[in-house]
Amino acid sequence: MVNVIGLDIISNTPSAEGIQLTDVERLNSVVENAVRFEELGFDGYAVGERHHAPFLSSAPPVILANIAARTSTLRLFTGVTLLSVLDPVRVAEDYATLDLLSGGRLELIVGKGNGSEQAELFGVARDDAHVTEHENYRVLRQLWSGEPVHWAPTPGRPTTRTVPLEGWVSRPQPLQPRIRTWHGSSTSTETVELAAEYGDPIWVANVQKSIEGYAPLVERYREAWREHGRDPKDAKVGAGFSLFLTRNSQDSVEAFRPFYERTAAGRVDTYNNFAPETLFQDYDDYVARSSFLVGSPQQAIDKLTRYAQVYGLDAISIPGNRGDLTERQWLESLELLKTEVLPAVEANLGAALVS
């Protein structure tokens, strides 16, 4: 079964119609959309973390606490928690508290984050971000063990915390015995190896490259999983997708072309500086080979099935707000995904397992 979560990184820029929301309106929309996702029967909702304009997502625990108070079954995700720049003690305390208040509904997606702005803000060199993220994750797991933590920074090794922990016991402890933590990555084999070491799932960014660009990362994760003697069926992979579905394929494909040309066309070459075969040459190629589920339900079924066969998908994220779509277009897309696409993908995967 493929779980579906909404993801909002909470950018606050004018809509396609030129409407600019106030910060209050934009933040309230995140909570309302999360409530809507629960009402529609989706599995979770993720709030991003950024610390620069035009984003309003600098305090995910606060926003997720509001969502927790308005929902009862929705899983609460971060997307991502910037462990590369944060103090792991602060992360442990904030999210353990959120897990308690939500009744044990928290899941983290951790990562170093995109862009240099937040790294510079917190004094972390971009080249050091993977090192600090991985070290902080190891500390976080110790803090959530309930046992005294003895830790000190390694001389000459970059760190976001300079004060040692000498027998520190973090309080409160999470409600869940072990909070599921997904390791987000787009290029780092070290990150997926860390996930395999701890028996954690991974979340593939799935934005800047075609499936061929990310497949080696997933393959390395599964290899490392086996190297640690873990059961292959327990390895979990999530990935991000965009969404615009209509009954008639051309309706959505042509309707989105102007938005692509306005926002993405100039970035096609830089999207995929990974391997030549992962480059998107133009809009049609982007529609065909990117993770954008644009077109008819059948096109989305075919694309998601292929991704699931290559990655072994256990969860996907879709936009948690309407973005450049109208309200009607967004709601229709969600309805088609829920009622037609996902059941068919499940059936395809089930048939493949039987055959």
Side-chain angles (χ1 to χ4, degrees):
M1 179 178 182
V2 179
N3 292 319
V4 180
I5 68 172
L7 169 62
D8 196 341
I9 307 177
I10 321 183
S11 174
N12 194 23
T13 56
S15 68
E17 301 89 355
I19 299 172
Q20 175 66 63
L21 299 180
T22 66
D23 289 355
V24 171
E25 291 170 333
R26 183 66 179 91
L27 287 172
N28 282 332
S29 75
V30 179
V31 179
E32 295 301 329
N33 285 335
V35 171
R36 174 178 283 172
F37 264 65
E38 180 173 86
E39 292 172 345
L40 290 172
F42 290 112
D43 303 285
Y45 200 88
V47 171
E49 181 176 346
R50 293 287 183 93
H51 294 270
H52 58 91
F55 300 97
L56 304 178
S57 49
S58 58
V62 178
I63 301 169
L64 288 169
N66 274 267
I67 294 173
R70 295 280 307 278
T71 58
S72 58
T73 61
L74 197 71
R75 299 293 294 176
L76 308 173
F77 286 75
T78 62
V80 300
T81 294
L82 297 177
L83 269 181
S84 57
V85 301
L86 301 176
D87 185 331
V89 173
R90 182 78 265 181
V91 173
E93 294 172 341
D94 283 349
Y95 286 111
T97 302
L98 177 58
D99 193 53
L100 289 164
L101 289 173
S102 68
R105 289 189 278 145
L106 176 67
E107 299 194 27
L108 295 186
I109 305 176
V110 299
K112 72 174 181 60
N114 293 322
S116 60
E117 293 89 347
Q118 46 250 339
E120 294 170 355
L121 176 65
F122 289 96
V124 176
R126 183 158 177 76
D127 291 343
D128 294 335
H130 276 126
V131 175
T132 55
E133 179 209 343
H134 296 170
E135 178 68 9
N136 286 343
Y137 182 70
R138 295 183 183 279
V139 176
L140 176 64
R141 277 302 178 197
Q142 293 179 59
L143 290 164
W144 278 347
S145 71
E147 300 295 326
V149 177
H150 298 272
W151 173 89
T154 302
R157 186 177 175 86
T159 179
T160 62
R161 181 177 179 84
T162 58
V163 179
L165 298 170
E166 300 174 350
W168 180 260
V169 178
S170 183
R171 296 285 294 168
Q173 286 290 301
L175 179 62
Q176 298 176 86
R178 181 180 174 85
I179 291 176
R180 176 179 284 181
T181 302
W182 305 73
H183 296 252
S185 184
S186 60
T187 59
S188 172
T189 55
E190 291 84 359
T191 293
V192 300
E193 288 167 355
L194 180 68
E197 176 186 341
Y198 277 84
D200 294 331
I202 64 169
W203 202 282
V204 182
N206 217 40
V207 175
Q208 297 175 329
K209 312 175 187 68
S210 66
I211 195 170
E212 294 82 6
Y214 290 109
L217 199 69
V218 177
E219 291 170 5
R220 177 56 196 140
Y221 168 63
R222 296 190 182 281
E223 288 173 359
W225 190 272
R226 290 190 293 270
E227 289 166 4
H228 284 282
R230 303 188 183 280
D231 190 332
K233 69 178 176 51
D234 293 330
K236 306 295 184 185
V237 177
F241 291 83
S242 296
L243 184 69
F244 184 11
L245 301 178
T246 55
R247 291 287 179 190
N248 183 337
S249 172
Q250 285 305 111
D251 289 344
S252 50
V253 171
E254 291 308 312
F256 203 81
R257 186 184 296 271
F259 299 115
Y260 169 87
E261 293 173 347
R262 176 168 60 86
T263 62
R267 301 199 302 268
V268 171
D269 290 339
T270 59
Y271 263 3
N272 301 285
N273 187 18
F274 186 79
E277 65 272 16
T278 70
L279 295 174
F280 305 127
Q281 304 303 321
D282 52 31
Y283 179 60
D284 292 334
D285 189 35
Y286 178 75
V287 167
R289 296 199 299 129
S290 77
S291 60
F292 189 6
L293 304 176
V294 59
S296 67
Q298 187 59 53
Q299 286 175 295
I301 291 166
D302 294 342
K303 183 177 285 190
L304 260 184
T305 298
R306 179 173 180 242
Y307 271 90
Q309 290 169 340
V310 174
Y311 289 174
L313 280 181
D314 298 281
I316 66 171
S317 65
I318 58 174
N321 64 86
R322 69 183 182 89
D324 287 323
L325 305 184
T326 66
E327 187 80 358
R328 183 190 63 78
Q329 289 170 334
W330 185 46
L331 291 177
E332 181 183 10
S333 296
L334 294 177
E335 178 68 18
L336 290 173
L337 178 71
K338 182 71 176 176
T339 62
E340 298 190 21
V341 176
L342 294 175
V345 172
E346 296 288 351
N348 287 348
L349 296 178
L353 290 174
V354 171
S355 62

